């Protein structure tokens, strides 16, 4: 059998980093091929070269044995290569069909396209109504739009970048069924994920990248998640030790926390009541778009609410802004690293100052204490193993995992009483994720309370003492996390979702 | 094939060399423009950039206009640059300049013919206050109703022009002026005259004040929390909210500061070089200062250099009109080319130009 796509010693260098160093591998027709690697291992660069977004410095690609060098995504699509990105490119105020039209060269007439969408989506078990607004769709449904958009072009190779990071376990199963069906029809799939269990369940073969080089290949079925993780990081993976949970005094109390939706497609928070005790890690599960961002913003103080809705050590602080809350010990780390938790164009030192000013006294009567600020940034970089040439580098020059370590480290090193984090390890490689989780656990051990909002159930199960689900703006009553299985939680999420919809 | 490639890290070198490249581009494109107009481009450039200082006949007069033009530009641009770095676009400095001049002048006229060292400082404070309050109109509309400050501040320029016309033909008209539409001449009374420190270059006390303000602005932007908050707001509004910046405060501060400095510049103008309020009082400093702010990379030190350069093109341009019979709009186009070039070459801070063969 001749290979569908053959990659021969592709190399690509960016200033200061060799993103890909003579990478070679093959994908057969109908193969589901996993691309594994830590953040910064060069996976994104590699798929961008295949999809025509980045030009390789050297090396060659063969598609169906023919020379293949797409200079733009349109050429790649014409050759039968499609890609579903981690971040969707959809307009919320437009319908499914309108969004799909936008991505097509010479799109057919609207009625014909709608019929095609219905047909293709039904065929692959991804039901979609072409006339619904994107803004009304769940994240899982939005992803379907992206997939159907690709399928309409009859691709020979489908590239998927972290497709399951936003899905419920049930939605993941549906997706996998679709992908397997595509594979039996001869479509090859290049699958990028950090979730090694999924790769084990789905993929026929895997190529492992480290530092821009291929360091191994394997058949995921014959490996354990742990052995693959170790290949990725090139060392032993530290597994967390079980933790003895002894709740202390109540630190954070939310009572009747409600917030009307801020934008037409947002979710309002409805009567959230929960307490966090010293030493407790509360895991908040649920699919993105169910009020996670809103919850973080009301806790960080970016959106003030009625004073009584948020109490810290008994004090009503709901109406206070971020600075006053930090002073009192309530800290937060938002999900979006670039543009929310950190300023992309600013240096790490300035970003350390961004949230560290108040508690660490980095300004004296308004004047910035440069030495203290730099020392603080230095501390974060050293203690959290943030890999950067220097603390004066811009935040945007760091890889996602390194910047996330910086953001979490910045909050942890301020010794908060309560820390709220949203998606602490989103898009972060296994080693960095383990380090971040360990740091949060150590903090709880030392007597702080931590709220982890995440869509990664494995992560929540690994970390949480108590667990609840945020769905449609409702927060379920927390239960002890020990003893809950991932399946049970998945059902819990689905159930809350349904109830809320019927209500 | 030439391509633009994104830099991982913004280039520090380019940040400071782009203005020089922009000036060079301006010289080339401007030269072509002059050539088309039938003027020897090298002669034109010599007249614009060298003759104001070195020409035997014109130089001695031209020179005295150098700082007269540069100082208000620097003063206004310094204020504007703070707002621009926060993403707050005060386009109406011209109006704040006029209103500051009227407010300060009104105090001077009310006190006429008072003598005393305190009269001029008082007028300066009221002048700054006038510009400040005028800039508060777009600020409050933006804070309360999210009104676009670009439009509001710009439209208020024309309101201020008409207000000025009403004032000089009404309450502020010179009672001994035979009905002409202008105010009393402030330089007739010592207490309301801006002291001239060094005549050959046109240096008034305002130059010293401007220098102090530029230094203060530098400290504000580089060493102070407020400056940091301004920059964060401009680069990443959500990160600014996360860090605890109050957007309303930044809007009010940025518009207020730029308004106050424009108003102060207006007052200096009326008590110094202009001498009195007339309908011809506004000459566009408030608009040209926008170019100066960008040419100076929104950096206080850069703005000083840019202000001096722009003043030079002003007086050199006048000379070119006189000597070469170039039309006045040609000089304005020349200044416009400069702004255009700056904005165009700015792309090289975040991108590099690479010469690439087709990838194999």
């Amino acid at each position: 059998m001749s290979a569908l796509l053959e990659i021969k010693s592709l190399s690509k260098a960016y200033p200061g980093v060799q993103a890909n160093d003579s990478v070679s591998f093959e994908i057969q027709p109908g193969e589901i091929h996993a691309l594994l690697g830590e953040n910064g291992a060069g996976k994104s660069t590699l798929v961008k070269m295949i999809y025509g977004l980045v030009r390789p410095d050297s090396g060659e690609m063969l598609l169906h044995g023919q020379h293949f060098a797409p200079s733009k995504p349109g050429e790649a699509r014409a050759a039968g290569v499609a890609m579903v990105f981690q971040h969707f490119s959809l307009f919320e105020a437009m319908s499914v069909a309108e969004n799909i039209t936008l991505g097509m060269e010479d799109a057919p007439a609207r009625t014909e396209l709608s019929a095609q969408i219905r047909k293709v989506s039904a065929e692959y078990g991804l039901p979609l109504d072409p006339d619904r607004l994107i803004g009304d769709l769940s994240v899982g449904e939005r992803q379907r739009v992206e997939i159907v958009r690709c399928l309409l072009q009859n691709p020979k190779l489908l590239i998927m970048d972290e497709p399951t990071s936003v899905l419920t376990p049930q939605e993941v199963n549906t997706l996998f069924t679709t992908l397997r069906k595509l594979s039996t029809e001869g479509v090859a799939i290049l699958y990028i994920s950090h979730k090694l269990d999924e790769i084990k369940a789905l993929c026929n073969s895997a190529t492992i990248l480290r530092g821009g080089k291929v360091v191994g290949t394997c058949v995921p079925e014959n490996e354990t998640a742990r052995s693959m993780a170790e290949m990725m990081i090139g060392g032993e993976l530290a597994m967390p030790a079980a933790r003895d949970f002894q709740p202390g005094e109540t630190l954070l109390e939310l009572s009747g926390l409600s917030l009307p939706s801020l934008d037409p497609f947002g979710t309002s928070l409805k009567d959230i009541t929960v307490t966090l005790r010293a030493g407790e890690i509360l895991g908040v599960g649920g699919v993105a778009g169910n009020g996670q961002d809103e919850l973080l913003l009301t806790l960080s103080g970016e959106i003030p609410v009625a004073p009584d809705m948020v109490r810290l050590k008994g004090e009503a602080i709901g109406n206070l802004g971020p600075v006053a809350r930090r002073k009192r010990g309530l800290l937060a780390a938002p999900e979006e690293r670039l543009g929310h938790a950190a300023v992309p164009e600013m240096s790490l030192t300035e970003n350390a100052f961004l949230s560290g000013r108040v508690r660490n006294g980095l300004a004296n009567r308004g004047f910035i204490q440069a030495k203290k600020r730099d020392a603080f940034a230095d501390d974060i970089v050293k203690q959290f193993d943030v890999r950067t040439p220097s603390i004066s580098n811009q935040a945007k020059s760091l890889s996602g995992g390194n910047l996330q370590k910086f953001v979490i480290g910045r909050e942890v090193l301020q010794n908060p009483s309560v820390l709220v984090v949203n998606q602490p390890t989103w898009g972060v490689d296994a080693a960095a994720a383990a380090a971040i989780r360990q740091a949060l656990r150590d903090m709880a051990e030392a007597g702080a309370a931590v709220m982890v909002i995440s869509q990664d159930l494995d992560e929540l199960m690994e970390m949480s003492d108590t667990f609840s689900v945020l769905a449609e703006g409702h927060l379920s009553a927390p239960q002890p996390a020990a003893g809950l299985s991932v399946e049970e939680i998945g059902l819990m999420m689905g159930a809350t979702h349904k109830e809320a919809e019927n209500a | 094939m030439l391509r633009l490639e994104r830099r991982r890290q913004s280039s520090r070198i380019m940040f400071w060399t782009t203005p020089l490249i922009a000036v060079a581009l301006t010289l080339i494109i401007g030269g072509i423009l002059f050539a088309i107009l039938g003027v020897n481009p090298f002669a034109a450039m010599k007249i614009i950039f060298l003759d104001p200082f070195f020409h035997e006949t014109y130089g001695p007069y031209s020179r005295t206009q150098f700082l007269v033009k540069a100082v208000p530009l620097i003063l206004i641009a310094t204020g504007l640059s703070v707002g621009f770095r926060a993403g707050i676009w005060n386009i109406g400095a011209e109006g704040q300049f006029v209103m500051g001049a009227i407010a300060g002048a009104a105090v001077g006229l009310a006190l006429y013919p008072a003598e005393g060292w305190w009269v001029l400082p008082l007028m300066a404070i009221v002048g700054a206050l006038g510009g400040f309050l005028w800039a508060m109109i777009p600020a409050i509309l933006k804070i309360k109703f999210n009104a676009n400050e670009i439009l509001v501040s710009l439209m208020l320029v024309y309101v201020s022009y008409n207000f000025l016309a009403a004032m000089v033909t009404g309450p502020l008209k010179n009672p001994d002026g035979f009905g002409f539409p202008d105010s009393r001449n402030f330089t007739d009374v010592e207490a309301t005259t801006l002291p001239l420190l060094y005549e050959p270059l046109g240096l008034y006390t305002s130059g010293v004040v401007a220098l102090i303000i530029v230094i203060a602005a530098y400290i504000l932007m580089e060493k102070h929390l407020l400056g940091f908050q301004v920059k964060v707001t401009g680069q990443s509004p959500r990160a600014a909210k996360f860090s605890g910046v109050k957007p309303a405060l930044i809007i009010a501060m940025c518009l207020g500061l730029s308004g106050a400095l424009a108003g102060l510049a207006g007052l200096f103008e009326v008590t110094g070089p202009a001498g009195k309020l007339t309908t011809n009082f506004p000459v566009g400093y408030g608009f040209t200062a926008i170019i100066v702010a960008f040419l100076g990379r929104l950096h206080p030190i850069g703005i000083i250099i840019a202000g001096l350069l722009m003043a030079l093109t002003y007086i050199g341009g006048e000379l070119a009109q006189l000597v070469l019979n170039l039309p006045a709009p040609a000089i304005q186009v020349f200044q416009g080319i400069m702004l255009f070039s700056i904005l165009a070459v700015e792309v090289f801070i975040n991108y590099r130009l690479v010469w690439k063969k087709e990838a194999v």
Side-chain angles (χ1 to χ4, degrees):
Chain A
M1 193 161 60
S2 72
L4 171 75
L5 178 70
E6 227 178 306
I7 288 173
K8 290 181 175 173
S9 50
L10 275 193
S11 294
K12 174 75 194 176
Y14 289 115
V17 57
Q18 183 76 33
N20 279 168
D21 190 353
S22 93
V23 171
S24 304
F25 66 93
E26 291 182 0
I27 304 174
Q28 309 298 331
E31 179 185 353
I32 306 185
H33 192 109
L35 201 53
L36 278 173
E38 289 195 284
N39 259 59
K43 296 175 310 240
S44 309
T45 308
L46 183 59
V47 294
K48 280 181 187 163
M49 288 192 289
I50 301 173
Y51 194 55
L53 283 165
V54 171
R55 306 292 293 273
D57 294 336
S58 65
E60 187 182 20
M61 289 187 280
L62 296 177
L63 189 71
H64 304 295
Q66 304 282 313
H67 174 77
F68 175 61
S71 62
K72 55 179 192 242
E75 281 179 40
R77 282 197 296 266
V81 177
M83 180 162 174
V84 176
F85 288 90
Q86 190 175 7
H87 302 278
F88 306 146
S89 40
L90 297 170
F91 295 94
E92 293 191 324
M94 295 173 92
S95 75
V96 171
E98 285 169 329
N99 268 285
I100 288 178
T101 315
L102 284 175
M104 294 178 98
E105 280 110 51
D106 46 71
R110 184 61 47 77
T111 46
E112 194 186 324
L113 180 69
S114 293
Q116 277 184 24
I117 293 171
R118 266 181 236 277
K119 179 165 159 285
V120 169
S121 64
E123 210 170 297
Y124 290 95
L126 304 166
L128 262 186
D129 178 351
D131 300 324
R132 281 184 72 191
L133 285 188
I134 296 293
D136 298 334
L137 301 184
S138 74
V139 181
E141 288 172 310
R142 289 180 199 200
Q143 188 183 50
R144 284 182 200 170
V145 179
E146 294 276 11
I147 297 173
V148 168
R149 176 191 272 178
C150 291
L151 294 185
L152 283 172
Q153 296 157 4
N154 296 315
K156 294 288 167 286
L157 172 67
L158 181 61
I159 304 171
M160 304 206 77
D161 191 0
E162 299 267 350
T164 58
S165 57
V166 293
L167 303 181
T168 65
Q170 283 76 9
E171 286 174 317
V172 170
N173 284 335
T174 317
L175 175 69
F176 282 8
T177 312
T178 306
L179 296 182
R180 287 197 187 99
K181 183 168 157 57
L182 282 168
S183 144
T184 59
E185 291 170 5
V187 178
I189 292 160
L190 185 57
Y191 189 89
I192 302 174
S193 176
H194 287 111
K195 297 189 182 169
L196 300 165
D197 290 324
E198 290 178 359
I199 285 171
K200 248 174 86 62
L202 181 73
C203 301
N204 315 117
S205 56
T207 297
I208 297 150
L209 290 179
R210 194 195 315 143
K213 289 188 181 133
V214 175
V215 293
T217 54
C218 67
V219 176
E221 233 176 310
N222 304 338
E223 301 287 329
T224 63
R226 191 185 172 118
S227 67
M228 284 193 283
E230 285 173 358
M231 271 194 259
M232 270 162 57
I233 61 172
E236 294 238 326
L237 188 63
M239 289 306 267
R243 211 167 66 79
D244 188 21
F245 169 49
Q246 299 285 345
E249 47 164 346
T250 297
L251 291 179
L252 182 73
E253 264 181 287
L254 306 183
S255 50
L257 173 63
S258 298
L259 179 78
S261 172
L262 299 169
D263 71 276
F265 303 115
T267 306
S268 39
L269 297 178
K270 292 157 197 151
D271 197 19
I272 290 177
T273 300
V274 71
T275 59
L276 252 86
R277 294 156 292 181
E280 178 175 1
I281 299 181
L282 170 67
V284 176
V287 175
N290 276 286
Q292 281 84 350
D293 293 341
E294 287 80 359
L295 180 59
L296 183 114
L297 293 174
T298 52
L299 291 175
S300 73
E302 285 163 81
I303 303 178
V305 289
D308 284 340
M309 288 183 181
V310 184
R311 285 179 176 275
L312 184 70
K313 296 173 204 159
E315 187 190 356
I317 59 160
N319 57 334
L320 299 182
V323 172
R325 291 193 193 196
R326 283 195 188 107
K327 244 177 228 157
R328 289 165 174 75
L330 172 56
L331 268 56
E335 170 188 0
E336 200 183 330
R337 297 182 276 266
L338 285 175
H340 193 186
V343 185
E345 311 280 334
M346 285 190 164
S347 66
L348 292 183
T349 53
E350 288 173 297
N351 274 301
F353 184 82
L354 187 74
S355 82
R357 163 176 71 91
V358 185
R359 283 180 82 76
N360 288 26
L362 303 183
N364 181 11
R365 280 187 232 150
F367 284 93
I368 298 167
Q369 306 290 298
K371 271 192 193 143
K372 272 188 169 180
R373 175 195 65 186
D374 296 354
F376 179 51
D378 221 31
D379 254 11
I380 302 170
V381 167
K382 290 218 174 77
Q383 294 198 32
F384 282 78
D385 187 29
V386 178
R387 287 172 207 165
T388 171
S390 122
I391 51 170
S392 56
N393 270 56
Q394 289 174 323
K396 67 173 184 183
S397 71
L398 267 63
S399 76
N402 274 314
L403 185 57
Q404 186 67 20
K405 285 195 274 187
F406 181 84
V407 165
I408 299 284
R410 181 181 68 187
E411 304 307 323
V412 168
L413 288 184
Q414 295 179 48
N415 294 320
S417 318
V418 179
L419 177 61
V420 183
V421 294
N422 191 5
Q423 300 272 56
T425 62
W426 187 75
V428 168
D429 60 75
I436 287 170
R437 289 175 196 154
Q438 189 59 48
L440 294 176
R441 213 175 280 117
D442 290 347
M443 242 183 63
E445 198 74 46
V450 182
M451 182 190 286
V452 181
I453 305 171
S454 175
Q455 296 168 56
D456 184 341
L457 290 180
D458 299 332
E459 165 171 278
L460 291 175
M461 292 328 293
E462 185 191 316
M463 301 187 66
S464 312
D465 302 312
T466 48
F467 178 84
S468 65
V469 167
L470 185 64
E472 298 281 319
H474 291 282
L475 189 72
S476 69
Q479 333 187 358
L484 279 176
S485 71
V486 170
E487 286 71 27
E488 277 174 308
I489 293 164
L491 288 172
M492 213 164 115
M493 284 160 63
T496 334
H497 201 76
K498 285 261 160 52
E499 270 169 35
E501 250 172 26
N502 297 338
Chain B
M1 186 179 64
L2 274 178
R3 293 198 315 130
L4 283 174
E5 187 179 273
R6 199 165 177 74
R7 295 176 196 268
R8 268 180 86 80
Q9 177 92 11
S10 305
S11 165
R12 295 294 304 168
I13 300 167
M14 271 299 164
F15 185 85
W16 290 110
T17 47
T18 43
L20 300 178
I21 299 173
V23 169
L25 261 180
T26 310
L27 291 180
I28 296 166
I29 303 173
I32 295 170
L33 172 83
F34 292 140
I36 292 169
L37 289 171
V39 172
N40 178 348
F42 296 98
M45 295 306 168
K46 175 177 168 287
I47 288 168
I48 294 175
F49 291 101
L50 297 177
D51 281 358
F53 290 115
F54 304 113
H55 194 275
E56 264 178 48
T57 359
Y58 305 119
Y61 168 75
S62 275
R63 248 176 282 164
T64 62
Q65 292 300 301
F66 182 50
L67 292 178
V68 165
K69 308 270 192 217
V71 167
L73 289 175
I74 291 168
L75 204 50
I76 300 169
T78 301
L80 290 179
S81 68
V82 174
F84 290 169
R85 289 183 82 168
I88 292 162
W89 307 103
N90 179 7
I91 304 300
E94 179 79 356
Q96 294 135 22
F97 176 86
V98 170
M99 295 308 277
I102 295 174
V107 170
L109 293 171
L111 294 171
Y112 179 86
E115 286 293 345
W117 62 268
W118 49 271
V119 176
L120 194 63
L122 179 70
M123 289 170 71
I125 290 166
V126 176
L129 194 66
F132 174 85
L133 291 175
W134 199 241
M136 278 298 112
I137 299 173
I140 289 166
L141 291 176
K142 186 175 177 68
I143 292 165
K144 289 279 172 210
F145 306 108
N146 199 23
N148 186 320
E149 78 280 9
I150 299 177
L151 293 176
V152 177
S153 64
L154 179 62
M155 289 190 292
L156 284 172
V157 171
Y158 303 102
V159 177
S160 76
Y161 284 171
N162 287 307
F163 186 68
L164 173 68
M167 286 297 117
V168 294
T169 51
L172 300 186
K173 189 166 73 172
N174 184 356
D176 310 324
F178 311 105
F180 281 104
D182 50 20
S183 72
R184 279 187 198 280
N185 195 322
F186 292 93
T187 53
D188 291 345
V189 180
E190 205 197 325
T192 56
T193 304
L194 187 66
L196 186 59
L197 299 180
Y198 184 64
E199 198 172 2
L201 285 176
L203 175 67
Y204 287 83
T205 325
S206 54
V208 179
V209 175
L211 190 64
I212 293 169
I213 283 171
V214 168
I215 294 167
Y218 177 81
I219 293 171
L220 174 78
M221 292 307 291
E222 301 301 322
K223 309 283 177 203
H224 198 272
L225 175 63
L226 268 176
F228 177 79
Q229 295 191 333
V230 162
K231 287 186 276 187
V232 177
T233 305
Q235 293 179 19
S236 188
R238 289 177 63 216
K241 279 196 100 171
F242 168 68
S243 91
V245 176
K246 296 187 178 71
L249 178 77
I250 297 295
I251 293 169
M253 185 195 99
C254 289
L255 278 163
L257 179 70
S258 51
L261 292 184
L264 187 62
L267 184 275
F268 286 150
E269 187 68 15
V270 78
T271 54
K276 59 186 176 182
L277 285 176
T278 69
T279 46
N280 299 324
F281 172 71
V283 289
Y285 285 135
F287 292 122
T288 311
I290 298 169
I291 308 183
V292 171
F294 279 104
L295 187 62
R297 291 235 122 278
L298 305 182
H299 189 284
I301 309 301
I303 284 170
I304 293 187
I305 299 166
L308 296 174
L309 183 70
M310 191 55 76
L312 187 58
T313 67
Y314 254 117
I315 57 175
E318 276 170 21
L319 217 51
Q321 288 175 46
L322 190 74
V323 180
L324 299 172
N325 280 322
L326 273 174
I331 299 303
Q332 289 169 5
V333 169
F334 185 69
Q335 289 171 344
I337 291 171
M338 186 148 14
L339 177 65
F340 185 81
S341 307
I342 300 158
L343 296 177
V345 295
E346 207 158 83
V347 72
F348 294 114
I349 294 168
N350 282 313
Y351 291 82
R352 70 172 75 225
L353 203 57
V354 283
W355 175 258
K356 268 253 164 105
K357 280 189 230 139
E358 283 292 314
V360 251

